Amino acid sequence: MDVARPEFLPDPDRSHDEMEALQREIADVAVFSDDHGFDAATLGFEETPRDATGDPDAGSQQKTLRDADAPVVVGVDQAFVGDERSVSAAVAIQDGVVVERAAGSAPLEIPYIPGLLAFREGDAIVDALESLSVDADVVVLDGSGRIHFRQAGIATHVGVLFDVPAVGVAKNLLCGTPRESLDDPLSEGARVAVEADDGVDAPDGTVIGYAYQSRQYPNPQRRHVNPLITSPGHRVSAETTVEVVEATCAGYKLPAPTRLADEYADELKQSGG
DNA sequence: GCGACAG
DNA sequence: ATCTTGTCGC
């Protein structure tokens, strides 16, 4: 993949204020509506059969034929080697089959600062995506997109940088107000809109993403799973974002692209930086 | 000043 | 994110 807007590269040498200013520019050109060519219903991830305990049942048949016209979904995830270098893994999947994997890495130059994640992990991600040869129909990133103080989380930043449809999947809420409390367990498949509030650069009440319960245990009263926090990155609506996440989770808590990128990132981490 | 905060 | 074994629940 190629960077489309080099002026938006996440340069960690910029000042704190410059980083925030860049994020506002990115949010200005970001598209939070559907502007892509895929149909979330044709992503090709099969629902995982469950056994009696509700755990994924292994041993089901493997797919051998892949639809070459199906959309390509790319999952991206990072891991750290020591604490001065990050590795990024990108895994491309088409019709449920891994078609390419790419690695990237970069030095860690700034600490983790809520709201500025892209400037810490962005360089490694760019390195990985630039060495990916297939074209992605949509990229799935770890973290927020529009659910961000300046509507420019890491999924939005990367999406706009490459001008590729992108979605953000986070395990925790960064900002915004859920329409319903997320403190009590939600049932599987439930979705709760997250609205902009005073902490977000968007009109109050704007739906900037959804909490989505991808998986839940049979008896959430005793043991429960937390919902995922999904938000559009670029060229995808909040509603389509949830559809992409729902289709790719296929019975697991995390989307398959994320899980596979996670595993690959661990491999890269083990074999040095 | 206080509180809140993705990975 | 990362450091890590056992343990609870279905």
Side-chain angles (χ1 to χ4, degrees):
Chain A
M1 297 180 58
D2 298 310
V3 168
R5 307 290 297 268
E7 67 271 32
F8 293 145
L9 282 167
D11 181 4
D13 293 326
R14 288 174 175 278
S15 72
H16 194 284
D17 284 346
E18 289 174 325
M19 292 180 183
E20 295 192 352
L22 186 64
Q23 291 182 326
R24 292 189 190 91
E25 288 181 43
I26 289 170
D28 278 341
V29 303
V31 174
F32 299 127
S33 58
D34 291 310
D35 176 23
H36 53 73
F38 67 86
D39 175 357
T42 66
L43 292 177
F45 294 83
E46 293 168 29
E47 188 68 24
T48 305
R50 304 267 182 91
D51 62 20
T53 60
D55 289 324
D57 185 14
S60 44
Q61 79 292 342
Q62 296 289 306
K63 176 175 297 193
T64 51
L65 297 178
R66 146 175 84 103
D67 179 355
D69 293 322
V72 172
V73 186
V74 172
V76 180
D77 188 40
Q78 290 70 244
F80 303 113
V81 183
D83 82 344
E84 58 179 47
R85 199 157 192 85
S86 65
V87 291
S88 179
V91 178
I93 304 164
Q94 182 174 45
D95 196 22
V97 178
V98 173
V99 294
E100 187 181 359
R101 303 201 301 177
S105 83
L108 282 174
E109 304 191 325
I110 61 171
Y112 165 66
I113 300 168
L116 298 180
L117 181 63
F119 293 90
R120 173 172 165 83
E121 308 190 339
D123 280 347
I125 295 175
V126 170
D127 190 32
L129 290 181
E130 281 185 324
S131 62
L132 194 69
S133 62
V134 297
D135 279 313
D137 285 285
V138 59
V139 179
V140 180
L141 293 125
D142 267 30
S144 290
R146 194 182 190 184
I147 295 182
H148 179 272
F149 313 119
R150 294 165 290 280
Q151 301 190 88
I154 194 162
T156 300
H157 199 135
V158 172
V160 169
L161 190 57
F162 288 88
D163 192 25
V164 65
V167 303
V169 179
K171 299 174 196 69
N172 294 287
L173 186 63
L174 174 62
C175 59
T177 304
R179 268 188 194 156
E180 298 164 33
S181 171
L182 300 182
D183 296 336
D184 306 310
L186 297 171
S187 53
E188 192 163 303
R191 58 201 64 192
V192 174
V194 175
E195 301 179 337
D197 54 25
D198 296 331
V200 180
D201 280 354
D204 268 48
T206 303
V207 175
I208 53 178
Y210 284 92
Y212 171 65
Q213 194 70 46
S214 53
R215 184 175 179 186
Q216 189 51 280
Y217 292 133
N219 189 345
Q221 310 254 282
R222 302 183 90 19
R223 185 188 181 76
H224 67 273
V225 177
N226 292 134
L228 293 177
I229 307 299
T230 69
S231 59
H234 182 47
R235 294 172 55 181
V236 180
S237 66
E239 291 68 33
T240 298
T241 294
V242 187
E243 285 176 18
V244 169
V245 173
E246 176 172 33
T248 54
C249 280
Y252 290 86
K253 170 171 182 174
L254 296 174
T258 300
R259 296 195 314 267
L260 294 169
D262 201 82
E263 290 173 13
Y264 185 33
D266 274 337
E267 281 181 42
L268 296 171
K269 180 204 178 93
Q270 302 310 324
S271 47

